[in-house]
Amino acid sequence: MKLLEYEAKSIFSGYGIPVPRTGGVITKLGQLPAALRRAGKGPWVLKAQVLAGGRGKAGGVKVVKTPADARAAAQAMLGMRIATHQTHGAALTVREVLIDQASRISREIYLSVVLDRREACPVVIASAEGGMQIEELAKSKPEAILKEAVDPSRGLESFQARRLAFRLRIPGPQIPAFVRLAQSLARVFLDYDASLVEVNPLVITGSGELVALDGKIVVDDNALFRQKTLAGRKDGEASALELQAKKVGISYIGLDGDIGCMINGAGLAMGTMDTVALAGGSPANFLDVGGGATAKQVTAAFKILLKDRKVKAVLVNIFGGIMRCDVIAQGVLEALKNVNMKVPLVVRLEGTNVEEGKRLLKESRVRLTLADTLWDAAQKAVTAAKGAGK
Ligand code: GDP
Ligand code: MN
């Protein structure tokens, strides 16, 4: 579960991490004057609350000097659709705008805590080059990225936080504040069962204070049962498809590519995605309809797949083990009656009653391409997606 910036910053604040003075979020223009008052004297910064980074470049962050400018910016921002490099081609509607007192920035630093799977522990990542896309920096200048492994039973040690401070060239007077901040950030990560806690940028203000200007927290869904403070929190639009899938017992994870994949079984799904990649394509998602794969689930899965506007072709790869292929074929046909399929569809069935399943699909006159092997299916899907892209 991803938390919005203002939720993350409110948690930070509870851990003593300095954040800008805030007027809170508004959902209507009428709430702006009170929010500006709460945020104190201007200038202010208006920030679109969507579950994606890179808002700055997409018009989702505006610094304003007067209440009139704030009003114009809020009016433009509320209801705006925003697409950043992190929204996977889709756009998110801005329903909440955060009003903070603006900070004067003299330096931007990157600071986060993530799970390091190889080291099997959380790791604090820092860089003196904040504000930048950390993924790019990791590629172009890996030496600029600093790391400190966190012992989960002890948190970040103060000597580790000091070592980061020195390497980040935090000015002497701010070192104690940095140490507290970094340790608190690691504490937030552990306490919230997070998979990511990120401050980008952490700024040093004109008056030399350290302030978390932005905040992102991703909580491991498997730990939500014990994260009582987050129970009942509605998940945002970015993961709307994932949530919709979860409701009908489908595991769905959105990815960056353009081939929508519908598969039964997580292992087959992974194998299919590898094969698509090998054939020169790129999957738009991971989708496991589960072992059952009933017509209802296949319909739901198609609907979810086709909501992703990046999808240029759909690849169905289903193994009929417990479920017979003819039943699956009927399910696919039934599902196609209920969805508006505008992109090419490649279907590969294998397993029990496969001949009967294929015959049903062939005789149906539905426009689809049948494939015999996984390799054949992947190549056909890649070709179809490329053709549709032109
Ligand atoms: P993101 O682009 O979605 O990560 O949004 P951020 O909250 O990180 O803001 C993007 C950029 O806007 C920051 O890196 C800053 O350069 C700028 N910015 C955000 N808040 C302020 C502020 O209070 N004052 C000033 N001067 N710039 C700000
Ligand atoms: Mn940011």
Side-chain angles (χ1 to χ4, degrees), residues 292-356:
T294 59
K296 206 172 134 213
Q297 264 178 320
V298 173
T299 308
F302 270 125
K303 285 191 174 152
I304 289 163
L305 276 185
L306 296 174
K307 271 197 189 144
D308 180 348
R309 277 180 252 163
K310 297 187 311 300
V311 169
K312 296 210 181 81
V314 172
L315 168 59
V316 175
N317 183 23
I318 292 187
F319 179 79
I322 302 166
M323 186 65 69
R324 300 185 333 247
C325 287
D326 53 323
V327 176
I328 293 163
Q330 277 162 3
V332 169
L333 294 174
E334 197 56 38
L336 288 175
K337 283 187 204 154
N338 295 310
V339 293
N340 183 8
M341 192 76 185
K342 286 195 189 125
V343 297
L345 171 65
V346 178
V347 181
R348 183 236 175 183
L349 295 178
E350 190 53 89
T352 315
N353 283 9
V354 62
E355 291 312 325
E356 176 65 7

Side-chain angles (χ1 to χ4, degrees), residues 164-232:
L164 283 175
F166 296 141
R167 293 166 75 193
L168 289 168
R169 299 187 197 290
I170 302 289
Q174 272 77 53
I175 290 177
F178 178 85
V179 168
R180 279 196 302 275
L181 193 153
Q183 288 186 302
S184 301
L185 207 66
R187 185 44 56 201
V188 170
F189 181 94
L190 296 169
D191 287 355
Y192 277 84
D193 292 309
S195 57
L196 172 71
V197 174
E198 185 184 70
V199 181
N200 187 25
L202 167 67
V203 302
I204 303 182
T205 64
S207 49
E209 283 164 294
L210 282 164
V211 178
L213 217 62
D214 190 8
K216 183 171 182 181
I217 297 179
V218 183
V219 178
D220 186 338
D221 288 341
N222 297 307
L224 284 178
F225 73 95
R226 64 180 191 188
Q227 287 299 334
K228 300 288 183 252
T229 55
L230 300 175

Side-chain angles (χ1 to χ4, degrees), residues 25 40 69 81 96 112 132 134 221 247 310 333 349 382 387:
V25 285
D69 289 350
R81 311 239 335 136
E96 296 173 304
S112 71
M132 272 199 46
I134 199 75
D221 288 341
K247 273 191 203 134
K310 297 187 311 300
L333 294 174
L349 295 178
V382 170

Side-chain angles (χ1 to χ4, degrees), residues 273-282 374-375 377-380 382-383 386:
M273 296 172 73
D274 283 351
T275 312
V276 165
L278 213 57
S282 172
L374 176 49
W375 180 234
Q379 285 178 307
K380 282 176 173 159
V382 170
T383 308
K386 286 200 176 128

Side-chain angles (χ1 to χ4, degrees), residues 5 45 47 52-56 61 63 102-103 105 108 200-201 213-214:
E5 173 192 4
V45 59
K47 310 183 77 177
R55 296 163 302 166
V61 178
V63 178
S103 310
I105 302 175
E108 300 198 348
N200 187 25
L213 217 62
D214 190 8

